[in-house]
Coordinates of all heavy atoms in Angstrom, one line a residue:
Chain A
T540 N -39.6 -87.8 -19.4 CA -40.5 -86.6 -19.5 C -42.0 -87.1 -19.7 O -42.9 -86.2 -19.7 CB -40.2 -85.8 -20.7 OG1 -40.2 -86.6 -21.9 CG2 -38.8 -85.2 -20.6
G541 N -42.2 -88.4 -19.9 CA -43.6 -88.8 -20.1 C -43.8 -90.2 -19.5 O -43.5 -90.4 -18.3
M542 N -44.4 -91.1 -20.3 CA -44.7 -92.4 -19.8 C -43.3 -93.1 -19.5 O -42.4 -92.9 -20.2 CB -45.6 -93.2 -20.7 CG -44.9 -93.7 -22.0 SD -44.3 -95.4 -21.7 CE -43.3 -95.6 -23.2
T543 N -43.3 -93.9 -18.5 CA -42.2 -94.8 -18.2 C -42.7 -96.2 -18.0 O -43.9 -96.4 -17.6 CB -41.4 -94.4 -16.9 OG1 -42.3 -94.5 -15.8 CG2 -41.0 -93.0 -17.0
F544 N -41.9 -97.2 -18.3 CA -42.4 -98.6 -18.0 C -41.2 -99.5 -17.6 O -40.1 -99.2 -17.9 CB -43.2 -99.1 -19.2 CG -42.4 -99.5 -20.4 CD1 -42.0 -100.8 -20.7 CD2 -42.1 -98.5 -21.3 CE1 -41.3 -101.1 -21.8 CE2 -41.4 -98.8 -22.5 CZ -41.0 -100.1 -22.7
E545 N -41.6 -100.6 -16.9 CA -40.7 -101.6 -16.5 C -41.3 -102.9 -16.7 O -42.5 -103.1 -16.5 CB -40.4 -101.4 -15.0 CG -39.0 -101.0 -14.8 CD -38.7 -100.8 -13.3 OE1 -39.5 -100.9 -12.4 OE2 -37.5 -100.5 -13.0
G546 N -40.5 -103.9 -17.1 CA -41.1 -105.3 -17.3 C -40.5 -106.2 -16.3 O -39.3 -106.1 -16.0
Y547 N -41.3 -107.1 -15.8 CA -40.9 -108.1 -14.7 C -41.2 -109.5 -15.2 O -42.3 -109.7 -15.7 CB -41.6 -107.8 -13.4 CG -41.6 -106.3 -13.1 CD1 -42.7 -105.5 -13.5 CD2 -40.6 -105.8 -12.3 CE1 -42.7 -104.2 -13.1 CE2 -40.6 -104.4 -12.0 CZ -41.7 -103.6 -12.4 OH -41.7 -102.3 -12.1
A548 N -40.3 -110.4 -15.0 CA -40.5 -111.8 -15.4 C -40.7 -112.6 -14.1 O -40.0 -112.3 -13.1 CB -39.4 -112.3 -16.2
A549 N -41.5 -113.6 -14.1 CA -41.7 -114.4 -13.0 C -40.4 -115.1 -12.7 O -39.6 -115.4 -13.6 CB -42.8 -115.4 -13.2
D550 N -40.1 -115.4 -11.4 CA -38.9 -116.1 -11.0 C -37.6 -115.4 -11.3 O -36.5 -116.0 -11.3 CB -38.8 -117.5 -11.8 CG -40.1 -118.3 -11.6 OD1 -40.6 -118.2 -10.5 OD2 -40.5 -118.9 -12.6
L551 N -37.6 -114.1 -11.4 CA -36.4 -113.3 -11.6 C -36.6 -112.1 -10.7 O -37.5 -111.3 -10.8 CB -36.1 -112.9 -13.0 CG -34.7 -112.4 -13.3 CD1 -33.7 -113.5 -13.0 CD2 -34.6 -111.9 -14.8
G552 N -35.6 -111.8 -9.8 CA -35.8 -110.7 -8.8 C -35.6 -109.3 -9.4 O -36.0 -108.4 -8.7
F553 N -35.1 -109.2 -10.6 CA -34.8 -107.8 -11.1 C -35.6 -107.6 -12.4 O -35.9 -108.6 -13.1 CB -33.3 -107.7 -11.3 CG -32.5 -107.9 -10.1 CD1 -32.0 -109.1 -9.8 CD2 -32.2 -106.8 -9.2 CE1 -31.2 -109.3 -8.6 CE2 -31.4 -107.0 -8.1 CZ -30.9 -108.2 -7.8
P554 N -35.9 -106.4 -12.7 CA -36.6 -106.1 -14.0 C -35.9 -106.6 -15.2 O -34.6 -106.6 -15.2 CB -36.8 -104.6 -14.0 CG -36.6 -104.2 -12.6 CD -35.7 -105.1 -11.9
V555 N -36.6 -107.0 -16.2 CA -35.9 -107.5 -17.4 C -36.0 -106.4 -18.6 O -35.3 -106.6 -19.5 CB -36.5 -108.8 -18.0 CG1 -36.1 -110.0 -17.1 CG2 -38.0 -108.7 -18.1
V556 N -36.8 -105.4 -18.4 CA -36.8 -104.4 -19.4 C -37.3 -103.1 -18.8 O -38.0 -103.1 -17.8 CB -37.8 -104.8 -20.6 CG1 -39.2 -105.1 -20.0 CG2 -37.9 -103.7 -21.6
S557 N -36.7 -102.0 -19.3 CA -37.2 -100.7 -18.8 C -37.1 -99.7 -19.9 O -36.3 -99.8 -20.8 CB -36.4 -100.2 -17.6 OG -35.0 -100.0 -18.0
G558 N -38.0 -98.7 -19.8 CA -38.0 -97.7 -20.9 C -38.9 -96.6 -20.6 O -39.4 -96.5 -19.5
G559 N -39.1 -95.7 -21.6 CA -39.9 -94.5 -21.4 C -39.6 -93.4 -22.4 O -38.8 -93.6 -23.3
R560 N -40.3 -92.3 -22.1 CA -40.2 -91.2 -23.1 C -39.3 -90.2 -22.5 O -39.3 -89.8 -21.3 CB -41.6 -90.6 -23.3 CG -41.6 -89.3 -24.1 CD -43.0 -89.0 -24.6 NE -43.5 -89.9 -25.7 CZ -43.0 -89.8 -26.9 NH1 -42.1 -88.9 -27.3 NH2 -43.5 -90.6 -27.8
Y561 N -38.3 -89.7 -23.3 CA -37.3 -88.7 -22.9 C -37.2 -87.6 -23.9 O -36.4 -87.6 -24.8 CB -36.0 -89.4 -22.7 CG -35.5 -90.2 -23.9 CD1 -34.7 -89.7 -24.8 CD2 -36.0 -91.5 -24.1 CE1 -34.3 -90.5 -25.9 CE2 -35.6 -92.3 -25.2 CZ -34.8 -91.7 -26.1 OH -34.4 -92.4 -27.2
D562 N -38.1 -86.7 -23.9 CA -38.2 -85.6 -24.9 C -37.2 -84.5 -24.8 O -37.0 -83.7 -25.7 CB -39.6 -85.0 -24.9 CG -40.7 -86.0 -25.4 OD1 -40.3 -87.0 -26.0 OD2 -41.9 -85.7 -25.3
N563 N -36.4 -84.5 -23.7 CA -35.4 -83.4 -23.5 C -34.0 -83.8 -23.8 O -33.1 -83.0 -23.8 CB -35.5 -82.9 -22.1 CG -36.8 -82.2 -21.8 OD1 -37.5 -81.8 -22.7 ND2 -37.2 -82.2 -20.5
L564 N -33.8 -85.1 -24.1 CA -32.4 -85.6 -24.2 C -31.7 -85.1 -25.5 O -30.6 -84.5 -25.5 CB -32.4 -87.1 -24.1 CG -31.0 -87.7 -24.3 CD1 -30.1 -87.3 -23.2 CD2 -31.0 -89.2 -24.5
I565 N -32.4 -85.3 -26.6 CA -31.7 -85.1 -27.9 C -31.4 -83.6 -28.1 O -30.4 -83.3 -28.8 CB -32.5 -85.7 -29.1 CG1 -32.8 -87.2 -28.7 CG2 -31.8 -85.6 -30.4 CD1 -33.6 -88.0 -29.7
Q566 N -32.2 -82.7 -27.6 CA -32.0 -81.3 -27.7 C -30.7 -80.9 -27.0 O -30.1 -79.9 -27.4 CB -33.1 -80.5 -27.3 CG -33.3 -80.4 -25.8 CD -34.6 -79.7 -25.4 OE1 -35.5 -79.4 -26.2 NE2 -34.7 -79.3 -24.1
Q567 N -30.2 -81.7 -26.1 CA -28.9 -81.4 -25.4 C -27.8 -81.6 -26.4 O -26.7 -81.1 -26.2 CB -28.7 -82.3 -24.3 CG -29.6 -82.1 -23.1 CD -29.3 -83.0 -21.9 OE1 -28.2 -83.2 -21.6 NE2 -30.4 -83.6 -21.4
F568 N -28.1 -82.3 -27.5 CA -27.1 -82.5 -28.6 C -27.4 -81.5 -29.8 O -26.7 -81.7 -30.8 CB -27.0 -83.9 -29.0 CG -26.5 -84.9 -28.0 CD1 -27.4 -85.5 -27.1 CD2 -25.1 -85.1 -27.8 CE1 -26.9 -86.3 -26.1 CE2 -24.7 -85.9 -26.8 CZ -25.6 -86.5 -25.9
G569 N -28.3 -80.7 -29.6 CA -28.6 -79.6 -30.6 C -29.7 -79.9 -31.6 O -29.8 -79.2 -32.6
R570 N -30.5 -80.9 -31.4 CA -31.6 -81.2 -32.3 C -32.8 -81.6 -31.5 O -33.0 -82.7 -31.1 CB -31.3 -82.3 -33.3 CG -32.3 -82.5 -34.4 CD -32.0 -83.7 -35.2 NE -33.0 -83.8 -36.3 CZ -33.1 -84.8 -37.1 NH1 -32.3 -85.9 -37.0 NH2 -34.0 -84.8 -38.1
P571 N -33.7 -80.6 -31.1 CA -34.8 -80.9 -30.3 C -35.7 -82.0 -31.0 O -36.0 -81.8 -32.2 CB -35.6 -79.6 -30.2 CG -34.7 -78.6 -30.6 CD -33.7 -79.2 -31.6
A572 N -36.0 -83.1 -30.3 CA -36.8 -84.1 -30.8 C -37.4 -85.0 -29.7 O -36.7 -85.3 -28.8 CB -36.0 -85.0 -31.8
P573 N -38.7 -85.3 -29.8 CA -39.3 -86.2 -28.9 C -38.8 -87.6 -29.2 O -38.5 -87.9 -30.3 CB -40.8 -86.1 -29.2 CG -40.9 -85.7 -30.6 CD -39.7 -84.8 -30.9
A574 N -38.7 -88.4 -28.1 CA -38.2 -89.8 -28.4 C -38.7 -90.7 -27.3 O -38.9 -90.3 -26.1 CB -36.7 -89.8 -28.4
T575 N -38.8 -92.0 -27.6 CA -39.2 -93.0 -26.7 C -38.5 -94.3 -27.0 O -38.1 -94.5 -28.1 CB -40.8 -93.1 -26.7 OG1 -41.2 -94.1 -25.8 CG2 -41.3 -93.5 -28.1
G576 N -38.3 -95.1 -26.0 CA -37.6 -96.4 -26.3 C -37.5 -97.3 -25.1 O -38.1 -97.0 -24.0
F577 N -36.8 -98.4 -25.3 CA -36.6 -99.3 -24.1 C -35.4 -100.1 -24.3 O -34.8 -100.2 -25.4 CB -37.8 -100.3 -24.0 CG -37.9 -101.3 -25.1 CD1 -37.2 -102.5 -25.0 CD2 -38.8 -101.1 -26.2 CE1 -37.2 -103.4 -26.0 CE2 -38.8 -102.1 -27.2 CZ -38.1 -103.2 -27.1
A578 N -34.9 -100.7 -23.2 CA -33.8 -101.6 -23.3 C -34.1 -102.9 -22.6 O -34.6 -102.9 -21.5 CB -32.5 -101.0 -22.6
L579 N -33.9 -104.0 -23.3 CA -34.0 -105.4 -22.6 C -32.7 -105.6 -21.9 O -31.6 -105.4 -22.5 CB -34.2 -106.5 -23.7 CG -35.4 -106.5 -24.6 CD1 -35.3 -107.8 -25.4 CD2 -36.7 -106.6 -23.7
K580 N -32.8 -106.2 -20.7 CA -31.6 -106.6 -20.0 C -31.2 -108.0 -20.4 O -31.6 -109.0 -19.8 CB -31.8 -106.5 -18.5 CG -32.6 -105.3 -18.0 CD -31.7 -104.2 -17.7 CE -32.4 -103.1 -16.9 NZ -33.0 -102.0 -17.6
T581 N -30.6 -108.1 -21.6 CA -30.3 -109.4 -22.2 C -29.7 -110.4 -21.3 O -30.0 -111.6 -21.3 CB -29.5 -109.2 -23.5 OG1 -29.9 -108.0 -24.1 CG2 -29.6 -110.3 -24.4
T582 N -28.7 -109.9 -20.5 CA -28.0 -110.8 -19.6 C -28.9 -111.4 -18.5 O -28.7 -112.6 -18.1 CB -26.8 -110.1 -18.9 OG1 -26.8 -108.8 -19.3 CG2 -25.5 -110.8 -19.3
R583 N -29.9 -110.7 -18.1 CA -30.8 -111.2 -17.1 C -31.8 -112.2 -17.7 O -32.2 -113.2 -17.1 CB -31.6 -110.1 -16.5 CG -30.7 -109.3 -15.5 CD -31.5 -108.4 -14.6 NE -30.6 -107.6 -13.8 CZ -30.8 -106.4 -13.6 NH1 -31.9 -105.7 -14.0 NH2 -30.0 -105.7 -12.8
I584 N -32.1 -112.0 -19.0 CA -33.0 -112.9 -19.7 C -32.3 -114.3 -19.8 O -32.9 -115.3 -19.6 CB -33.4 -112.4 -21.1 CG1 -34.3 -111.1 -20.9 CG2 -34.2 -113.4 -21.9 CD1 -34.6 -110.4 -22.2
L585 N -31.0 -114.2 -20.0 CA -30.2 -115.4 -20.1 C -30.3 -116.2 -18.8 O -30.5 -117.4 -18.8 CB -28.7 -115.0 -20.3 CG -27.7 -116.2 -20.4 CD1 -28.0 -117.1 -21.6 CD2 -26.3 -115.7 -20.4
E586 N -30.2 -115.5 -17.6 CA -30.3 -116.2 -16.3 C -31.7 -116.9 -16.2 O -31.8 -117.9 -15.7 CB -30.3 -115.1 -15.2 CG -29.0 -114.8 -14.6 CD -29.1 -113.7 -13.6 OE1 -29.9 -113.8 -12.6 OE2 -28.5 -112.6 -13.8
L587 N -32.7 -116.2 -16.8 CA -34.0 -116.7 -16.7 C -34.2 -118.0 -17.5 O -34.8 -119.0 -17.1 CB -35.0 -115.6 -17.2 CG -36.4 -115.8 -16.9 CD1 -36.7 -115.8 -15.5 CD2 -37.2 -114.8 -17.7
I588 N -33.7 -117.9 -18.8 CA -33.9 -119.0 -19.7 C -32.9 -120.1 -19.4 O -33.1 -121.3 -19.8 CB -33.8 -118.5 -21.1 CG1 -34.9 -117.5 -21.3 CG2 -33.9 -119.6 -22.1 CD1 -34.9 -116.8 -22.6
G589 N -31.8 -119.8 -18.8 CA -30.8 -120.8 -18.5 C -30.0 -121.1 -19.8 O -30.4 -120.7 -20.9
D590 N -28.9 -121.8 -19.6 CA -28.1 -122.2 -20.8 C -28.1 -123.7 -21.0 O -27.1 -124.3 -21.2 CB -26.7 -121.6 -20.7 CG -26.1 -122.0 -19.4 OD1 -26.8 -122.4 -18.4 OD2 -24.9 -122.0 -19.2
D591 N -29.3 -124.3 -20.9 CA -29.4 -125.7 -21.1 C -28.9 -126.1 -22.5 O -29.1 -125.4 -23.5 CB -30.8 -126.2 -20.9 CG -31.8 -125.2 -21.4 OD1 -31.8 -125.0 -22.6 OD2 -32.6 -124.7 -20.6
A592 N -28.2 -127.2 -22.6 CA -27.6 -127.6 -23.8 C -28.6 -127.7 -24.9 O -29.7 -128.2 -24.8 CB -26.9 -129.0 -23.6
E593 N -28.3 -127.2 -26.1 CA -29.2 -127.2 -27.2 C -29.3 -128.7 -27.6 O -28.2 -129.4 -27.7 CB -28.7 -126.4 -28.4 CG -27.9 -125.2 -28.0 CD -26.6 -125.2 -28.8 OE1 -26.6 -125.0 -30.0 OE2 -25.6 -125.3 -28.1
S594 N -30.4 -129.2 -27.9 CA -30.5 -130.5 -28.4 C -30.9 -130.5 -29.9 O -31.4 -129.5 -30.3 CB -31.6 -131.3 -27.6 OG -32.8 -130.6 -27.6
G595 N -30.7 -131.6 -30.5 CA -31.1 -131.7 -31.9 C -30.2 -131.0 -32.9 O -30.4 -131.1 -34.1
T596 N -29.1 -130.4 -32.5 CA -28.2 -129.9 -33.5 C -27.3 -131.0 -34.0 O -26.8 -131.8 -33.2 CB -27.3 -128.8 -32.9 OG1 -26.9 -129.1 -31.6 CG2 -28.0 -127.4 -32.9
E597 N -27.1 -131.1 -35.2 CA -26.3 -132.1 -35.8 C -24.8 -131.7 -35.8 O -24.5 -130.5 -36.2 CB -26.8 -132.4 -37.2 CG -26.7 -133.9 -37.5 CD -27.7 -134.2 -38.6 OE1 -28.9 -134.2 -38.4 OE2 -27.2 -134.6 -39.7

Side-chain angles (χ1 to χ4, degrees):
Chain A
T540 58
M542 76 91 193
T543 62
F544 71 99
E545 247 179 358
Y547 314 90
D550 308 321
L551 193 65
F553 301 90
V555 287
V556 55
S557 66
R560 174 166 287 284
Y561 51 97
D562 289 347
N563 295 337
L564 177 68
I565 304 177
Q566 71 185 17
Q567 294 181 44
F568 294 91
R570 186 186 185 191
T575 179
F577 70 82
L579 296 181
K580 319 269 192 268
T581 321
T582 0
R583 285 192 187 141
I584 295 176
L585 177 69
E586 268 174 62
L587 191 68
I588 297 177
D590 50 343
D591 35 62
E593 330 127 67
S594 52
T596 38
E597 219 155 292

